[in-house]
Every structure is written in C-alpha cells, then in structure tokens.
C-alpha cells in the first residue's frame, strides 16, 4: 500500500500543494527614465520534490486598465505557473498598486529629488509604453541575469507587449490574454463610447467649471464676512478638475453591492445576468469581491482619451514617437500565444486577427477560451488551461533556443 502513496507524493496535482509552499516573495524597485519608481513583486519558485519543468524561467506579468497586481493573484493563476517552476515578476504600472503616488513622494523625500512631473495623473498610455515597460523588462533581466525573458500581459498589458515585441528582442516568448490588436472591432458599445467620449468629457468639465464658480462665490462671501468680523479667513477651495476616472471607488462600491446580492435572490439574479466583461458562473464570488475591493485603481483622463482615440481612428499608435504598433506585428518572431474569451467584447477573433495574421512566429497559438469573457481569464475556473498554454509556449521556446530561426511562415 505504500508504493502508490509514494508515487502520489512525487506527482501531486496543483490542488494538492499549498500556495505558500511554492515560492519566496520579495519586491524590488525599478526607476524609469522620466523619474518614476515602480515596484515589481517577485514570486521566486522554491524547489519541490515533484517535477518543475520550467524551473527558474523568468516571466514578467503586466496588468490591464485600472488594475494592479491583484489581477494576477485574486485567483490561482500565479499558483499554477509556480507549480511549473516559473519565476514570476509582477509589474505595477505608474500610479497603480505599490507604484502609487504616495510611494513617489516617499522616494523623493528619501533621496532628495523632485517627484515625477506628471505625478498628478498627467500620464497616458505612451508613458506606460515608453518608460514603464522598458524599465520593468530591464529590471527583470538584471535581477535574473537573463538576456531574454518571457512576457505575459492581460488586456492593456497585452497591448503594450505587442508593441514592445515589435521593436525589441528582449522577449523569449510572449503571451497575451484578452488583449485586442484593434480596439473596438466587433464591439459596438465600445465604439459608441469612444465617439461620445469628447462630449462626455466636455460635459464633465462644464459641470465642474460651474461648481468652481459657485464655490468661488461662496468663498468670496465668507471671506468678506470674515473681514467684517475680523476672524481668520477660510482657505480657498482647490479647483475641481477631471483628472482621472475614480474606478477604484466604483469597483469598491460594486464589491459591496455583490455582497448584498449574495443575500438577496433578486439582486443575485440581476448580478448573474450582467456578463459584459465577466461571466459569473466561471468565477468564485469571494475572488471577485476581493478583486473589486483591492484590485481597482484610478486611471488618468489622458489614458482614457488615448484609448478612445485609438478606437475612433482604428489605430494603435504611440503618439509621442509616431510608432505604429500594427506595423510592428510583422516583426514579431518569438513564440506567441494569443488567448481570449469567446464571449469577450473587447478581445475577440475580429479584434485579434490582425496580429495573428501578421506575426512571423514559428510557434503561434490563437485560441478562444469557451464560455469566457474578459476578467475571468486570469482568475476564473478556466485559468488552469490557460496556464498550460503558457507552459507549452515556454517549453517550446526552451527546446528551440539553440536552433537557428526558420524562414518566415506564410499565413493564409
């Protein structure tokens, strides 16, 4: 009876292993060329008695729009990758998670330097692409002493990966999850928002401008009374400005609402029918509430405006340099996996087709995950099969390191 038990111990499933037994967690800081200090959380794999076929292979994970590191850790995505032995490095883009505004002030005071000039939500997607991602890639390469690393990006993180892979040779392989190559293609709702965005922002600015006038008049009246009564004048109110979308606040409210929904059959039925970006039947509700409560971030106005401009113009462009991401697709030659939910309105067959057809990768996976939308791909019930796609890509890259590249593959 002892032989089968020994065999099971040597070949457990990921469910048989405690998450904390798979890693040692550390964090380190990388500095961008424009003055930001970004935090990377590292899950370094620990040796196990069972096989770890990818042990020590470094992989950088980059989250999406208005998210942070919890996009990867709310479910068991990281655990499944650690089970294979991958060395996980999770970047949090500027203003997100541990790479917060408060952290920039702390670093500035500690090292006697000025905070970044765009600290007050003055950055856009170009900032992520030109500064954050290069700093993170360089940091992972330095820490792991590897010339090339693996990359995995979700949603916006995947879009940034497409662009980077088209002009740099630092990736040994790239995985994108729910990352469109043509924003808005196949999504009428997203297109409607993009074309309405200038008018919406104009209305917000108008409302805030009116409120500023009213607050200014009220302050003036109060100040006049203070002078008459010879009392201290009140401090002038700071102008109200639309600088960011307060998505962190909205998502926390949604988390609380889901808590009420769990206790109410009616609200629960309504919540289960709202499947635009998430399929609730593919998720554990406690993970969803955790992600909504802790995984949301403010996203700057300029980021929203750039996304909307991409949709309206049918382009994915770094406007500061003029670099066209789509023109770079044909220069991607490393192994690549493009994974998306078959019910995802943002990343679909239509919106990912161009990068699949253009890439010159010998290993190129283009796969919808049945019954999935956008959010649950990294934390839902089917995340494990996506992690096996990641495993297969890394194994292919490892076995082909010494092999000369083949001629570009012709795709129909």
């Amino acid at each position: 009876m002892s032989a089968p038990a020994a065999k099971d111990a040597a070949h457990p499933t990921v469910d048989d292993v405690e998450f904390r037994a798979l890693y040692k967690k550390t964090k380190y800081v990388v500095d961008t060329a424009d003055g930001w200090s970004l935090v990377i959380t590292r899950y370094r794999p620990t040796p196990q008695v069972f096989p770890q076929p990818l042990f020590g292979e470094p992989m950088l994970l980059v989250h999406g729009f208005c998210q942070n590191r919890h996009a990867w850790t709310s479910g068991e995505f990281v655990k499944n990758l650690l089970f294979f032995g991958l060395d996980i490095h999770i970047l949090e883009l500027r203003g997100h998670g541990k790479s917060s505004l408060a952290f920039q002030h702390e670093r500035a005071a500690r090292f006697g330097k000025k905070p970044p000039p765009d600290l007050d939500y003055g950055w856009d997607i170009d900032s992520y692409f030109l500064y954050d991602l290069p700093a993170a890639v360089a940091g992972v390469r330095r820490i792991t002493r590897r010339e090339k690393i693996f990359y995995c990006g979700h949603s916006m993180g995947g879009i940034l990966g497409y662009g980077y892979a088209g002009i740099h040779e630092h990736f040994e392989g790239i995985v994108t999850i729910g990352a469109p190559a043509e924003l808005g293609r196949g999504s009428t709702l997203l297109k409607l928002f993009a074309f309405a965005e200038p008018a919406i922002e104009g209305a917000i600015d108008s409302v805030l401008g009116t409120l500023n006038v009213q607050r200014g008049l009220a302050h003036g009246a109060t100040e006049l009374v203070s002078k008459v009564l010879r009392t201290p004048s009140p401090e002038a109110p700071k102008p109200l400005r639309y600088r960011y979308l307060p998505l962190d606040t909205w998502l926390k409210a949604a988390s609380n609402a889901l808590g009420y929904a769990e206790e109410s059959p009616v609200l629960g039925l309504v919540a289960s029918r709202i499947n635009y970006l998430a399929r609730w039947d593919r998720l554990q509700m406690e993970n969803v509430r955790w992600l909504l409560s802790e995984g949301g971030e403010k996203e700057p106005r300029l980021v929203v405006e750039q996304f909307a401009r991409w949709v309206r113009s049918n382009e994915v462009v770094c406007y500061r340099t003029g670099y066209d991401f789509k023109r770079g697709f044909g220069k991607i030659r490393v192994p690549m996996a493009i994974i998306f939910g078959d019910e995802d309105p943002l990343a679909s067959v239509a919106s990912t087709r161009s990068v699949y057809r253009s890439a010159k990768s010998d290993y190129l996976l283009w796969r919808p995950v049945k019954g999935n939308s956008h959010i649950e791909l990294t934390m839902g019930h089917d995340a494990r099969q996506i992690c096996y796609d990641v495993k297969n890509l890394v194994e292919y890259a490892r076995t082909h390191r010494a092999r000369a590249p083949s001629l570009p593959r012709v795709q129909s």
Side-chain angles (χ1 to χ4, degrees):
M1 297 296 292
S2 60
K7 182 178 180 181
D8 291 340
H11 298 279
T13 68
V14 67
D15 295 323
D16 299 325
V17 184
E18 288 290 333
F19 182 30
R20 293 185 180 275
L22 292 171
Y23 66 89
K24 292 181 179 179
K25 186 165 71 170
T26 59
K27 67 178 182 179
Y28 58 96
V29 177
V30 297
D31 293 318
T32 69
D34 66 338
W36 278 78
S37 295
L38 309 179
V39 177
I40 295 179
T41 302
R42 183 182 188 182
Y43 290 80
R44 192 169 189 174
T46 54
Q48 305 291 327
V49 296
F50 54 84
Q52 295 169 284
L54 309 180
F55 190 83
E57 294 293 342
M59 174 167 280
L60 174 63
L61 306 185
V62 180
H63 61 77
F65 181 83
C66 85
Q67 293 188 316
N68 56 33
R69 65 191 181 281
H70 296 306
W72 302 106
T73 60
S74 293
E76 295 194 339
F77 192 86
V78 169
K79 180 184 180 183
N80 278 274
L81 296 183
L82 285 168
F83 184 75
F84 302 135
L86 280 167
D87 182 6
I88 303 299
H89 301 249
I90 304 178
L91 167 68
E92 292 182 281
L93 298 166
R94 63 183 63 198
H96 297 68
K98 294 181 179 180
S99 304
S100 64
L101 276 63
F103 184 61
Q104 309 313 308
H105 286 296
E106 175 189 323
R107 296 277 290 185
R110 179 180 178 184
F111 295 104
K113 64 178 185 178
K114 293 182 179 180
D118 61 350
L119 186 63
D120 191 19
Y121 297 97
W123 66 88
D124 54 15
I125 302 175
D126 287 358
S127 304
Y128 297 146
F129 179 66
L130 294 175
Y131 299 110
D132 294 10
L133 192 52
V137 172
V140 176
R141 292 172 64 216
R142 181 182 68 253
I143 290 291
T144 60
R145 298 181 180 180
R146 294 290 190 97
E147 285 296 318
K148 296 185 177 183
I149 64 173
F150 291 94
Y151 182 90
C152 181
H154 177 244
S155 192
M156 181 178 70
I159 297 172
L160 295 173
Y162 291 143
Y164 193 93
I167 53 177
H168 298 286
E169 297 183 354
H170 299 145
F171 294 161
E172 193 162 10
I174 174 174
V175 179
T176 68
I177 302 173
E182 295 183 84
L183 276 85
R185 185 172 291 276
S187 175
T188 302
L189 186 60
L190 187 59
K191 286 183 178 179
L192 289 174
F193 167 77
F195 281 97
E197 178 264 339
I200 293 172
E201 291 193 339
I204 293 173
D205 288 336
S206 178
V207 170
L208 294 180
T210 301
L211 290 175
N212 283 330
V213 171
Q214 294 174 351
R215 294 167 78 225
L217 291 173
H219 172 71
T222 306
E223 192 174 42
L224 181 60
V225 172
S226 299
K227 288 181 179 180
V228 172
L229 299 178
R230 297 182 179 180
T231 57
S233 298
E235 184 178 352
K238 294 182 178 179
L240 298 174
R241 294 184 295 136
Y242 166 40
R243 297 171 295 155
Y244 56 79
L245 284 182
L247 289 166
D248 55 337
T249 302
W250 297 348
L251 293 176
K252 286 180 186 295
S255 175
N256 294 333
L258 285 177
Y260 294 126
E262 289 180 335
E263 301 173 1
S264 167
V266 175
L267 291 177
L269 181 63
V270 173
S272 67
R273 294 295 184 270
I274 303 175
N275 291 326
Y276 183 69
L277 291 180
R279 282 286 305 269
W280 305 111
D281 58 329
R282 299 284 179 172
L283 294 160
Q284 292 185 10
M285 193 53 64
E286 60 267 28
N287 292 341
V288 175
R289 292 193 63 193
W290 170 258
L291 179 64
L292 293 175
S293 176
E294 304 297 329
E297 300 288 347
K298 297 176 177 65
E299 201 66 65
R301 173 179 186 161
L302 294 177
V303 171
V304 178
E305 289 176 350
Q306 188 164 353
F307 267 127
R309 182 177 174 183
W310 280 356
V311 175
R312 291 194 302 268
S313 305
N314 189 28
E315 62 188 9
V316 185
V317 175
C318 174
Y319 293 116
R320 295 189 209 175
T321 65
Y323 171 63
D324 186 337
F325 286 31
K326 294 182 183 180
R327 292 184 179 179
F329 293 164
K331 298 180 181 179
I332 300 176
R333 297 181 180 274
V334 297
M336 182 163 65
I338 306 162
I339 302 168
F340 53 93
D342 70 340
E343 298 184 19
D344 188 346
L346 302 182
S348 61
V349 169
S351 64
T352 58
R353 181 183 289 113
S354 61
V355 65
Y356 168 71
R357 289 185 170 177
S358 299
K360 300 301 187 297
S361 308
D362 289 332
Y363 183 103
L364 185 56
L365 175 68
W366 186 39
R367 187 174 79 82
V369 183
K370 186 176 180 180
N372 279 249
S373 184
H374 193 70
I375 301 298
E376 66 272 19
L377 293 171
T378 58
M379 58 180 292
H381 299 322
D382 297 314
R384 184 169 301 179
Q385 64 173 279
I386 296 173
C387 289
Y388 269 94
D389 290 332
V390 175
K391 173 179 177 288
N392 292 338
L393 180 141
V394 176
E395 286 184 328
Y396 175 88
R398 287 181 59 155
T399 57
H400 288 73
R401 276 174 177 157
R403 183 178 299 181
S406 63
L407 294 174
R409 178 171 53 84
V410 178
Q411 300 179 17
S412 57

